[in-house]
Amino acid sequence: MKSKRNLFNAAVCLISAAVKTGKTWYAERLMCAVASGTPFFGRQTKQGKVLYLNFDNTARTVEERAMTIANKLGLDEVATDNIIIMAPQQSYASIGDVVEAVTYMYS
């Protein structure tokens, strides 16, 4: 019997695990599912805005991977209007930039 509980029922989610266990792909798949309102590993999602912070890859890499995920899922495109990607180490984003992005998402 499937649980009716939400997998993530919070505005902020942190995913952590050992190195090379698939955290980034998992997070990016979740990002695409929420942004497009498509199921995430068999669980329904509610379409919404996503702020994706990635400290390992550039924003361009994340965008390319999102398109790969969308193609594999048979989506025409990811709802890019619902996604803000920030790669602070590569773009030197400040905490102020992150706060501004979060404020935009909830406005």
Side-chain angles (χ1 to χ4, degrees):
M1 180 174 161
K2 275 191 174 180
S3 170
K4 293 189 185 229
R5 291 181 37 197
N6 294 329
L7 184 61
F8 297 106
N9 195 20
V12 176
C13 179
L14 173 68
I15 299 169
S16 66
V19 176
K20 298 292 181 191
T21 56
K23 297 178 299 293
T24 301
W25 284 104
Y26 182 87
E28 290 169 356
R29 171 64 183 90
L30 178 59
M31 171 187 73
C32 292
V34 172
S36 62
T38 57
F40 178 70
F41 294 109
R43 293 180 180 257
Q44 291 298 326
T45 64
K46 180 180 176 186
Q47 186 174 22
K49 295 178 183 177
V50 177
L51 171 60
Y52 184 73
L53 298 174
N54 186 305
F55 294 94
D56 297 321
N57 297 311
T58 64
R60 182 181 178 103
T61 298
V62 175
E63 290 168 0
E64 290 170 355
R65 290 172 70 152
M67 293 311 299
T68 298
I69 292 166
N71 289 334
K72 288 189 182 231
L73 294 175
L75 301 173
D76 290 333
E77 61 183 53
V78 176
T80 53
D81 291 347
N82 287 339
I83 300 174
I84 297 173
I85 298 169
M86 298 188 84
Q89 289 182 338
Q90 286 78 24
S91 64
Y92 304 102
S94 69
I95 191 66
D97 295 331
V98 175
V99 170
E100 182 179 320
V102 170
T103 303
Y104 165 77
M105 290 182 63
Y106 287 99
S107 61

